[in-house]
Amino acid sequence: DQQVKQNSPSLSVQEGRISILNCDYTNSMFDYFLWYKKYPAEGPTFLISISSIKDKNEDGRFTVFLNKSAKHLSLHIVPSQPGDSAVYFCAASATSYGKLTFGQGTILTVHP
Amino acid sequence: NAGVTQTPKFQVLKTGQSMTLQCAQDMNHNSMYWYRQDPGMGLRLIYYSASEGTTDKGEVPNGYNVSRLNKREFSLRLESAAPSQTSVYFCASSDLNLSNQPQHFGDGTRLSIL
């Protein structure tokens, strides 16, 4: 049973436009959500997070939105840059030793 | 500033061979984790260690053992490798004494079992 799902395997966006990556979860115990970015042959790199007490968190070009009633979160990248091309994973944690449950990942390609 | 270091980076094994994947972190984190990444499945937790001296199973522990050697090091052992264990293995660490801290990952070990 996949508790965290990223239903879009890939997304293609033009440079300068907005990229929106989506993630759904089923476990209502999750209270901390993260996005990681991964380049080939490297480990995932932390991008941005949000606690369940918030519905929005911004960091520069990156904004994460959380809709608890819909069990849905999204990552907005504005403006998108070619260097943003990578695999993006969403992850969730219940307050239990910080164990993360990951989604399948979305491959973002930003075209110049 | 090395962060999380994994060795080796690549390894090819024959079915039935054993091997230990090494992980060390220099961030003084108390918690460490082992994940595997397979195509289309994201990262799945194999084992974790919430603090030095403790280990516990994650989502996919069968066929693996772990050792938390000290605060810095957390190793993953395959006693009798199987082709189904062909994967990319990632080690991560975090500081659970600080609330909502992200995990930091190493660059992975790419393991092929023939």
Side-chain angles (χ1 to χ4, degrees):
Chain A
D1 178 31
Q2 190 97 27
Q3 297 186 64
V4 178
K5 291 184 182 179
Q6 294 175 255
N7 291 317
S8 297
S10 62
L11 175 67
S12 183
V13 171
Q14 206 68 29
E15 181 178 7
R17 306 295 290 268
I18 185 171
S19 295
I20 300 176
L21 295 97
N22 294 302
C23 180
D24 297 297
Y25 64 96
T26 57
N27 188 342
S28 57
M29 297 299 292
F30 288 146
D31 61 1
Y32 181 50
F33 304 89
L34 308 90
W35 285 94
Y36 281 86
K37 176 179 178 179
K38 185 184 180 303
Y39 292 118
E42 294 184 9
T45 302
F46 169 71
L47 196 56
I48 192 169
S49 65
I50 188 167
S51 165
S52 60
I53 62 174
K54 295 185 174 181
D55 54 19
K56 177 182 174 181
N57 188 28
E58 282 183 85
D59 185 0
R61 296 187 296 115
F62 303 92
T63 303
V64 56
F65 295 92
L66 175 62
N67 182 333
K68 289 186 290 294
S69 61
K71 293 189 174 66
H72 177 84
L73 66 155
S74 61
L75 174 68
H76 292 209
I77 306 173
V78 184
S80 301
Q81 300 173 354
D84 296 329
S85 298
V87 180
Y88 289 78
F89 291 99
C90 70
S93 171
T95 308
S96 174
Y97 300 110
K99 292 186 292 180
L100 293 178
T101 301
F102 282 83
Q104 307 97 308
T106 297
I107 302 169
L108 173 65
T109 304
V110 181
H111 299 282
Chain B
N1 185 12
V4 178
T5 303
Q6 293 184 235
T7 55
K9 294 190 185 303
F10 303 93
Q11 185 70 48
V12 178
L13 293 178
K14 294 181 180 178
T15 298
Q17 287 185 316
S18 62
M19 117 157 255
T20 300
L21 281 61
Q22 306 287 352
C23 175
Q25 53 92 7
D26 62 2
M27 294 174 283
N28 202 35
H29 286 165
N30 51 6
S31 300
M32 297 185 73
Y33 311 83
W34 277 105
Y35 294 87
R36 60 178 289 174
Q37 185 194 4
D38 300 296
M41 300 194 73
L43 283 77
R44 292 181 292 168
L45 182 65
I46 305 171
Y47 270 92
Y48 66 98
S49 171
S51 61
E52 188 177 354
T54 68
T55 61
D56 212 337
K57 295 178 181 179
E59 182 185 353
V60 288
N62 291 345
Y64 305 95
N65 286 300
V66 290
S67 295
R68 183 74 183 267
L69 305 169
N70 48 55
K71 190 172 186 179
R72 288 187 65 247
E73 298 172 288
F74 188 37
S75 63
L76 179 72
R77 182 161 178 84
L78 287 70
E79 290 291 352
S80 179
S84 61
Q85 294 177 304
T86 294
S87 188
V88 182
Y89 291 85
F90 290 100
C91 177
S93 70
S94 67
D95 188 347
L96 290 183
N97 292 327
L98 303 173
S99 62
N100 292 342
Q101 290 298 298
Q103 293 179 17
H104 298 263
F105 285 81
D107 284 339
T109 294
R110 284 145 188 83
L111 184 60
S112 293
I113 298 158
L114 307 176

